Amino acid sequence: MLPAEVLLFDMDGTIVDSTESVVGAWTRFADRHGMDAGAILAVAHGRPTVEVIAMFAPAGMDVAAEAARIESEEVDRTVGIAEVPGAAKLLESLDPGRWAVVTSATRELTVKRLAVAGLPQPRVLVSANEVTEGKPSPQGYRMAAEALGFDPASAVAFEDAEAGLLAARASGASTVVVGGHAGDAAAGLPRAADLRSVGVRASGSRYDVLVG
């Protein structure tokens, strides 16, 4: 059981299953430029698109233009977008002023995916548009907790990827792994197969978060 003043959620892979869209977008990008899609996908999850492109871009590539193209493709392609099981029930049970989404996706893409998945829109959303340092920097998690009026150390964060887990842990938040990620950043953390395994109950002015 983890005490929490606020709950902070990553989006892709944590509350929204967007695997089909993400894999498709990066595979098309790799095919256009003769790159290894597997190598890109191995590091892309949880990181801002523009930063991933910059990691692989050959000399002369217009990184911003490529990022805009991928963004447009992902906004338009909604087949396969769905909630991670239990996400809607969990989010709808929370005080809207006590949870936020912290994502490496852009604001437009986040709003679209949440809507398609049937999830509530958060009052506080920290997307790639709001930060100067993407995950694994803790900036986004710190911004979200502070926007809700709390110290990040009083938060419980939910993440599914290495970069996001590093970010959440570095922010000071108690961190829960959602799904099967087994990288170094997941070591020793509580784990939920999906959000059906997470229970939240009010305890005075805070929440008690039960995992498993």
Side-chain angles (χ1 to χ4, degrees):
M1 186 177 68
L2 304 171
E5 298 289 351
V6 291
L7 279 66
L8 309 177
F9 298 89
D10 171 52
M11 180 180 66
D12 291 310
T14 300
I15 58 175
V16 173
D17 182 353
S18 57
T19 304
E20 182 177 340
S21 178
V22 171
V23 171
W26 285 117
T27 299
R28 289 188 295 274
F29 168 76
D31 289 347
R32 286 196 298 272
H33 299 288
M35 298 177 179
D36 180 356
I40 297 171
L41 287 165
V43 300
H45 194 48
R47 297 177 184 269
T49 299
V50 68
E51 293 184 11
V52 176
I53 293 172
M55 292 170 65
F56 291 90
M61 177 179 283
D62 188 333
V63 173
E66 288 290 343
R69 178 171 179 173
I70 291 174
E71 165 81 4
S72 177
E73 289 179 354
E74 291 196 282
V75 168
D76 290 341
R77 294 172 186 258
T78 60
V79 174
I81 299 295
E83 68 161 322
V84 168
K89 182 177 180 180
L90 176 60
L91 296 178
E92 289 166 0
S93 74
L94 302 175
D95 178 340
R98 302 288 286 274
W99 68 276
V101 169
V102 183
T103 177
S104 295
T106 63
R107 178 169 286 269
E108 179 184 12
L109 183 57
T110 302
V111 169
K112 180 67 172 289
R113 283 186 175 162
L114 291 174
V116 171
L119 299 179
Q121 298 290 336
R123 288 184 184 176
V124 172
L125 166 59
V126 179
S127 71
N129 300 96
E130 282 75 50
V131 298
T132 57
E133 299 175 354
K135 299 174 185 178
S137 166
Q139 183 185 36
Y141 277 104
R142 289 174 177 164
M143 288 174 63
E146 290 164 3
L148 291 169
F150 292 90
D151 188 286
S154 70
V156 170
F158 296 83
E159 270 284 358
D160 74 309
E162 190 75 1
L165 291 166
L166 289 170
R169 296 183 75 161
S171 75
S174 298
T175 305
V176 176
V177 185
V178 178
H181 180 73
D184 291 344
L189 296 179
R191 181 184 296 274
D194 56 43
L195 295 178
R196 292 174 296 185
S197 301
V198 177
V200 177
R201 67 186 183 199
S203 177
S205 62
R206 72 177 195 195
Y207 288 122
D208 287 333
V209 180
L210 295 91
V211 180

